[in-house]
Amino acid sequence: MKKNCHNLSAKKTALESAHIAIVGNPNTGKSCLFNHLTGLSVTVSNYPGTTVELFQGKTIFKGNELRIVDLPGIYALDAASEDEDVTKNFLFKKTPEVLINIVDANLLERNLYLTLQLKKLGIPMIVALNFHEEANDNGITIDSKKLSSLLGLPVIPMDALRGAGVFKLMNQSLDIISGDSKPKINFSKKPSTVEVARKRHDKARKIIEKVVLKGKTKVSAYEWLDRWTTEPLSGSLIMVGVFAFIFACLFYVGAYLGGVLNTVFTFLIGNPIKQLTSLIPNDLIKLVLDLGLVDGINAGLQVAIPYIAVFYILLSLLEDSGYLPRIAYLIDRFMHKLKLHGKAVVPMLLGFGCSVPAILATRVMPNKRERLITAILINLIPCSARTAIILGATGLFLGWQYALLIYGFVLGLILVIGFILGRTLPGTSTGLIMEMPKYRIPNIKNVLKKTGARLKDFIVVAFPIIIVGSMILGLLQGLNLLELIMRPFEPLIEGWLLLPAVTGITLIYGILRKELALEMLILVAGTATLTDFMSPLQIFIFCLVATLYFPCIATFAVLKNEFGWLKSTIIAISTIILAVLIGGLVGRLFMFIGFLV
Amino acid sequence: MKLSKQKEDYLKEIYKLQTKKNRSLKQAEIASKLKLSKPTTSEMVKKLETDGFLLIQEKRAVSLTKKGIKEARKVHRKHQLIEVFFNKLLNIKQKNKFHTEAHKMEHELSDEASDKLDDLLNNPDFCPDGNPIPDKNSTIIELNKLPINKAATILFAKTQDPQDLTRLSSLGIVPGTNVSIIKKISKGPIMLSVKESELALGSEICSKIYVELK
């Protein structure tokens, strides 16, 4: 044992190969188990196919450091989607020492299909029977010993959320890892034929018949909710209600939090720093430091963090509850008018959070054509950074109705563009084939963990840019270079978009990170009260333009990875043209009809 | 109208092949199964399309229509019943023997006689090879036309998309699986109950799956 332990820690921790890989169908609690084991923040969600990336983590168990990888949720190893590809490739190239196959006790028959396929690989494997108690409550009793002998694999009943059975699971895994046997893997690149699939399903059914005792099946606790949310009329009303609720939360809670953060920061950090910098004799250095260390950070805290945090908490709640696939089902028919199907809805909804994961999530779309259309539309969806701009400027200074108007306008535009793309891009659309997970109460710990991870990522990436960006802006201002730089853009910004010429620089900043546009605008304006600097119409146009042109450099990078240079460049340039065109037109239209003037 | 022996053979083999593959067929697959040349097959396929038994889809892929399925099942059933007759009553155990006999006789046996034979054999469920024998009065419809809460069995799909097919396979929608529709949105997707899980299926994919009502 001792020798083996030494062996374990001697291995390089460089990415890839892991001691334990967690594999299972979507929504079986894989990520939850992973979270439980590692304490590392990962995305846990209820939507089939969210964890497209691999998540790796470490745990110390009985003095051994074990590397654990959470593989994407899949239904089979047949490469019907990129998730299956990722898992298959990982298992083939970086064969783990133990596979933990997590199965949902409520849906054992369907889950065993993958188990039987995985078993063929020849990697030592443990079956973790999750939701064991929930199944019991639903009237399903599973004879896990019999299941184990029929499968020829250890089966451990567990509860990933509360951690019951996890110790046993780890113990067994460690036993296998400490053993000397090297797995010989038996790998077939070809997808299962229908006949093989059929035989495997038959085998699963025969096993189920022997190990599952069905008592009285209780009506699921949330069946009423399921019914209300999928009935076209009530479902649509609820959907609108949910979106209205999200909007209201963002508008009120976001603005409130922004105020609180601003006050706290100014009092605790901002003012003391400004007192210190006031001692600096050089005006230029003083300005640069003030903008970089105080005003830039303050702008980020006031307009970015609160809206993004609130949005992510709400999104995580929706994801983990299982509501998102219901929306997909509900509006599948409508999406057909865009020659897309309901499955596009979930990546598009994720796009309201951040365009980057949303574009990654388009991988769940079955073909390239639909992926491209969805990704193009995601570029236009107001992500949380753009929500921060819309609410932090238009919402705060013009009122929620005007913020809503921007949303309505952008969504209408998305529909029109989706309709045109759907009709002009060649190819056909395949249909919706999607599992409808049960409703589950989201685990608050998971939700907060997830939001925390996303925010941490945001702060680590965004704040250095905000600080440096603000300092550069301060430098340009202090040296009176800003207007000089912006002069060539004057005809466009002032002449066509009717905005103050200096706002051009903020729109350029927005390419780095979208919310920078507003943060820098506040700095350029020299006041957080934007109405002192711009007219209401100008604020409206600014927000509209900032919302429409392509999200940010990170989104561009993802687009380039997924679709190549040519397509991503075309998308980026078209959105800029679209934004400028629409900004100018709307400005003139509003002037003409005397709206907001 | 009595179909020619040749047409019956085509329909039967296409039916068997589609049930096995769960998709529409390439004409070359049919030709190789029947050991005929491609032009011959293509000509017959066209005739059967004109008769309304077959559907020629994009890329010349072929699938049976409901009418074609009905006719194919009739011949298939006769074949299987004759096999059972030879195997059980005449005690001929060699597969090639009872199979050849059945192959010759299936085209001659009248519908009425086959029903009588069915009764005589005590309505067997399976042929000697272990394949299920189709019911006499079964209704075949597309999945999107299946009424809510009505039990049905997947017959086969006529999709051509390999990815759809693999996805359907891994989620349990293979020939022989029992399904029922929990709810649907008119002209929109359905919610299907399969192996205790619920799947949302778009309307166009549903219209490409044949089911047998129970």
Side-chain angles (χ1 to χ4, degrees), chain A residues 220-516:
Chain A
S220 158
Y222 300 110
E223 207 155 290
W224 59 272
L225 189 60
D226 183 58
R227 207 171 46 240
W228 282 94
T229 46
T230 52
E231 204 59 47
L233 182 64
S234 56
S236 308
L237 289 174
I238 290 172
M239 189 170 72
V240 171
V242 167
F243 288 146
F245 176 76
I246 292 175
F247 182 79
C249 273
L250 283 170
F251 187 79
Y252 291 108
V253 182
Y256 177 76
L257 274 181
V260 171
L261 282 175
N262 177 31
T263 316
V264 171
F265 176 82
T266 309
F267 181 72
L268 287 181
I269 302 168
N271 286 345
I273 289 184
K274 280 206 170 167
Q275 269 163 16
L276 279 178
T277 53
S278 65
L279 302 173
I280 298 173
N282 186 318
D283 272 356
L284 184 62
I285 295 175
K286 185 173 147 335
L287 179 70
V288 168
L289 288 179
D290 275 354
L291 282 190
L293 299 179
V294 182
D295 299 327
I297 293 178
N298 200 5
L301 288 177
Q302 202 181 343
V303 301
I305 294 283
Y307 297 106
I308 292 170
V310 171
F311 183 82
Y312 275 143
I313 288 178
L314 295 172
L315 184 70
S316 305
L317 284 173
L318 283 186
E319 278 183 323
D320 288 0
S321 67
Y323 180 54
L324 294 186
R326 265 90 187 169
I327 298 184
Y329 168 79
L330 203 60
I331 69 177
D332 181 61
R333 193 180 140 188
F334 174 75
M335 295 297 278
H336 273 95
K337 304 220 160 88
L338 305 185
K339 298 269 178 188
L340 283 172
H341 61 69
K343 205 153 191 183
V345 175
V346 177
M348 286 171 81
L349 285 176
L350 289 177
F352 282 94
C354 174
S355 311
V356 173
I359 286 168
L360 287 175
T362 60
R363 291 180 181 175
V364 301
M365 309 290 301
N367 72 40
K368 267 257 157 28
R369 172 183 175 276
E370 285 174 38
R371 283 192 59 190
L372 183 64
I373 297 181
T374 314
I376 292 174
L377 298 183
I378 286 171
N379 269 278
L380 296 171
I381 290 174
C383 61
S384 53
R386 283 175 272 185
T387 289
I389 296 178
I390 298 172
L391 291 180
T394 304
L396 217 52
F397 297 110
L398 309 185
W400 61 267
Q401 309 89 323
Y402 297 96
L404 212 51
L405 189 65
I406 292 184
Y407 279 107
F409 191 81
V410 173
L411 293 180
L413 204 62
I414 288 170
L415 290 185
V416 172
I417 289 170
F419 191 80
I420 295 169
L421 287 176
R423 258 139 238 273
T424 48
L425 281 185
T428 52
S429 113
T430 51
L432 175 76
I433 306 174
M434 184 161 78
E435 188 192 358
M436 203 53 50
K438 277 202 181 84
Y439 272 121
R440 290 215 162 88
I441 295 179
N443 177 264
I444 297 303
K445 236 165 88 187
N446 273 351
V447 167
L448 292 179
K449 221 168 174 178
K450 215 148 103 174
T451 309
R454 283 163 164 170
L455 271 185
K456 196 172 83 192
D457 187 54
F458 176 82
I459 290 168
V460 168
V461 177
F463 273 73
I465 302 178
I466 295 178
I467 294 169
V468 175
S470 316
M471 286 179 161
I472 293 174
L473 193 68
L475 206 61
L476 293 176
Q477 262 180 337
L479 298 172
N480 285 322
L481 286 172
L482 201 52
E483 281 174 27
L484 196 72
I485 292 175
M486 289 323 293
R487 195 151 299 150
F489 295 97
E490 238 166 55
L492 186 71
I493 306 292
E494 230 175 58
W496 172 247
L497 289 177
L498 314 168
L499 296 174
V502 283
T503 58
I505 189 97
T506 68
L507 289 173
I508 294 172
Y509 265 110
I511 292 175
L512 285 179
R513 298 192 53 88
K514 237 342 154 29
E515 78 287 347
L516 272 182

Side-chain angles (χ1 to χ4, degrees), chain B residues 106-160:
Chain B
E106 67 194 25
H107 306 293
E108 307 303 328
L109 197 66
S110 72
D111 294 356
E112 200 193 346
S114 70
D115 292 345
K116 294 261 161 72
L117 182 60
D118 191 22
D119 291 340
L120 177 74
L121 296 166
N122 287 329
N123 313 94
D125 288 327
F126 295 97
C127 76
D129 299 334
N131 293 320
I133 301 177
D135 269 354
K136 183 175 58 170
N137 305 313
S138 50
T139 314
I140 309 291
I141 49 171
E142 288 96 353
L143 184 55
N144 58 338
K145 301 201 180 115
L146 180 69
I148 289 173
N149 285 330
K150 195 109 181 154
T153 309
I154 304 283
L155 198 61
F156 54 75
K158 54 175 172 181
T159 170
Q160 301 177 68

Side-chain angles (χ1 to χ4, degrees), chain B residues 47-150:
Chain B
K47 274 189 207 158
L48 287 165
E49 193 205 15
T50 324
D51 293 345
F53 293 122
L54 289 184
L55 193 75
I56 302 181
Q57 301 163 296
E58 267 175 72
K59 292 181 196 152
R60 302 179 63 235
V62 171
S63 170
L64 288 170
T65 59
K66 276 185 281 185
K67 189 179 162 194
I69 294 174
K70 215 175 159 194
E71 210 55 45
R73 278 163 71 95
K74 225 195 253 170
V75 189
H76 189 45
R77 185 172 121 90
K78 284 174 189 171
H79 179 95
Q80 288 176 306
L81 288 173
I82 298 164
E83 281 190 338
V84 177
F85 173 74
F86 276 90
N87 184 265
K88 288 266 165 65
L89 291 191
L90 305 186
N91 216 15
I92 295 175
K93 298 293 178 197
Q94 297 96 318
K95 189 188 161 167
N96 58 343
K97 279 201 182 157
F98 63 70
H99 180 76
T100 326
E101 295 288 352
H103 195 66
K104 278 186 274 181
M105 289 172 69
E106 67 194 25
H107 306 293
E108 307 303 328
L109 197 66
S110 72
D111 294 356
E112 200 193 346
S114 70
D115 292 345
K116 294 261 161 72
L117 182 60
D118 191 22
D119 291 340
L120 177 74
L121 296 166
N122 287 329
N123 313 94
D125 288 327
F126 295 97
C127 76
D129 299 334
N131 293 320
I133 301 177
D135 269 354
K136 183 175 58 170
N137 305 313
S138 50
T139 314
I140 309 291
I141 49 171
E142 288 96 353
L143 184 55
N144 58 338
K145 301 201 180 115
L146 180 69
I148 289 173
N149 285 330
K150 195 109 181 154

Side-chain angles (χ1 to χ4, degrees), chain A residues 19-161:
Chain A
H19 299 110
I20 301 174
I22 307 174
V23 197
N25 282 194
N27 316 312
T28 45
K30 273 179 330 86
S31 305
C32 194
L33 173 65
F34 180 70
N35 264 346
H36 201 94
L37 290 178
T38 59
L40 184 101
S41 325
V42 276
T43 313
V44 201
S45 91
N46 215 337
Y47 172 68
T50 310
T51 41
V52 179
E53 304 298 337
L54 303 182
F55 292 95
Q56 305 223 2
K58 273 184 231 163
T59 187
I60 307 278
F61 186 74
K62 291 192 173 171
N64 298 290
E65 194 188 80
L66 300 176
R67 290 193 307 282
I68 304 178
V69 60
D70 179 19
L71 294 169
I74 53 170
Y75 297 106
L77 284 174
D78 292 327
S81 67
E82 291 187 29
D83 300 5
E84 290 182 9
D85 253 354
V86 167
T87 304
K88 206 172 167 176
N89 281 330
F90 182 88
L91 292 179
F92 183 55
K93 288 183 185 144
K94 308 281 171 195
T95 312
E97 296 181 39
V98 186
L99 271 186
I100 293 180
N101 172 218
I102 182 162
V103 295
D104 182 343
N106 296 292
L107 302 169
L108 194 55
E109 186 181 341
R110 221 269 317 286
N111 278 242
L112 281 186
Y113 181 83
L114 178 66
T115 308
L116 291 170
Q117 201 178 10
L118 286 171
K119 196 191 154 196
K120 288 248 162 166
L121 294 175
I123 305 171
M125 185 161 118
I126 303 171
V127 175
L129 193 61
N130 199 20
F131 299 122
H132 190 245
E133 283 170 35
E134 190 187 294
N136 258 335
D137 291 344
N138 288 335
I140 300 168
T141 317
I142 294 168
D143 184 342
S144 58
K145 284 202 184 100
K146 204 164 182 181
L147 179 63
S148 167
S149 74
L150 285 172
L151 285 171
L153 297 166
V155 174
I156 297 171
M158 64 169 296
D159 180 341
L161 204 58

